[in-house]
Amino acid sequence: MDLDLSGKRALVCGASQGLGEACARQLAQQGAEVVVLARTAEKLERVCQTLAAEQGQAHSYIAVDASDTPALAAAVAAELENGPLHIWVNNTGGPAPGPASAAAPEAYANAFGQHLIAAQTLLQLLLPGMRSAGYGRILNVLSTSVKAPIPNLGVSNSIRAAMANWAKTLAGELAVDGITVNNVLPGLTQTARLDSLMAHIADTSGRSVEQVAEGMRAGIPVRRFGEPEEFANAVGFLASPAAAFINGINLPVDGGSTGSL
Ligand SMILES: NC(=O)c1ccc[n+]([C@@H]2O[C@H](COP(=O)([O-])OP(=O)(O)OC[C@H]3O[C@@H](n4cnc5c(N)ncnc54)[C@H](OP(=O)(O)O)[C@@H]3O)[C@@H](O)[C@H]2O)c1
């Protein structure tokens, strides 16, 4: 099975911690040169320094807010001067929790900007290089809410659905050029995002964080949270030459917790 990414360059967004950081680590291990992107330069610099570079890769970072579309476009366009980016892990922070009915209209507009508008901006910058290389792997980090909406994540559920249909449409358009588009759907995975969600539920329910965590683990058939590296394993496979015939899927990495096919 060909998992080798040497000679390939990868852009991993939301990579200063959590799932994005784990994906950057996995892709670098497979030989890719990785550009990590998020808002916090110090964290990104630290991540860069820890990525595998046995094949002489020169990893780098872009510190930018993905909701500032002009700044995002300028920073990624400048990076493309160094060569095409063949692999794109499209990831960013999740919207704040809360019921759909209570969210301010602006919360939906902001999520649309940070997720879909940012994604479309990056897509149009990255496509020419992927097309001329005849190799593209677009991996969208979404959520299992694409398959079954999650209570109390109203804005998130809505924007993930929009992203999933954007991706499925692109999968049909781009495969002819050697570019695949797939969605990887994290279940409950041990990151700062999960910690803040559990703290929010504890605050609003009067339970302790440990009680909340216990309740969540009980709903996962494997009875534990995922590790970021387990999510990154799926991304590393889908980014590789071995996954060339897999296109347009939603892959849950959730320990079996999603109650639908
Ligand atoms: N962990 C889970 O259990 C789980 C489950 C389902 C879905 N998800 C979703 O999967 C994604 C990644 O999850 P995670 O747990 O790794 O989240 P996380 O720990 O909160 O990490 C989010 C990453 O995105 C970056 N980011 C946030 N806002 C940004 C912005 N405006 N511009 C650029 N970068 C931004 C953050 O870095 P900076 O703060 O430095 O910008 C960080 O690197 C999120 O969308 C999350 O909602 C996670």
Side-chain angles (χ1 to χ4, degrees):
M1 181 160 66
D2 184 3
L3 300 175
D4 184 20
L5 296 179
S6 30
K8 303 283 192 305
R9 300 180 75 235
L11 173 66
V12 184
C13 299
S16 64
Q17 63 183 39
L19 302 181
E21 178 181 0
C23 292
R25 209 172 290 295
Q26 177 61 36
L27 297 177
Q29 269 169 25
Q30 287 173 235
E33 184 166 292
V34 179
V35 179
V36 286
L37 183 151
R39 292 167 300 183
T40 319
E42 307 77 58
K43 287 194 201 170
L44 291 168
E45 196 166 355
R46 179 187 57 74
V47 170
C48 268
Q49 285 164 358
T50 61
L51 297 181
E54 287 88 11
Q55 299 180 43
Q57 305 107 297
H59 305 299
S60 57
Y61 70 87
I62 298 173
V64 71
D65 187 333
S67 36
D68 182 349
T69 312
L72 178 70
V76 173
E79 177 56 44
L80 285 166
E81 305 274 313
N82 299 323
L85 290 154
H86 309 90
I87 297 159
W88 171 30
V89 179
N90 180 23
N91 175 45
T92 189
S101 52
E106 294 73 33
Y108 287 95
N110 292 342
F112 204 75
Q114 188 192 331
H115 290 250
L116 195 55
I117 303 299
Q120 181 68 8
T121 301
L122 289 183
L123 175 79
Q124 293 186 334
L125 286 168
L126 299 179
L127 271 184
M130 290 181 179
R131 281 193 165 122
S132 53
Y135 192 98
R137 295 286 186 270
I138 300 174
L139 286 322
N140 302 299
V141 180
L142 301 181
S143 163
T144 57
S145 65
V146 164
K147 289 178 170 283
I150 300 170
N152 210 41
L153 285 178
V155 177
S156 180
N157 291 340
S158 308
I159 196 65
R160 307 303 185 180
M163 290 295 298
N165 272 329
W166 171 81
K168 184 67 180 171
T169 311
L170 289 173
E173 294 176 8
L174 303 179
V176 70
D177 293 321
I179 302 167
T180 61
V181 186
N182 291 299
N183 302 325
V184 192
L185 316 179
L188 295 169
T189 312
Q190 193 64 71
T191 69
R193 163 82 175 172
L194 181 60
D195 289 341
S196 76
L197 280 179
M198 291 193 298
H200 174 83
I201 295 169
D203 275 357
T204 51
S205 68
R207 287 179 290 158
S208 71
V209 171
E210 189 39 44
Q211 285 168 329
V212 172
E214 256 176 52
M216 284 179 159
R217 284 191 289 258
I220 306 173
V222 301
R223 297 287 186 269
R224 64 172 176 83
F225 295 137
E227 294 298 328
E229 294 70 26
E230 294 176 300
F231 180 83
N233 289 340
V235 167
F237 170 65
L238 290 171
S240 75
F245 203 57
I246 301 176
N247 186 34
I249 64 162
N250 287 311
L251 176 65
V253 182
D254 66 350
S257 55
T258 304
S260 68
L261 290 173

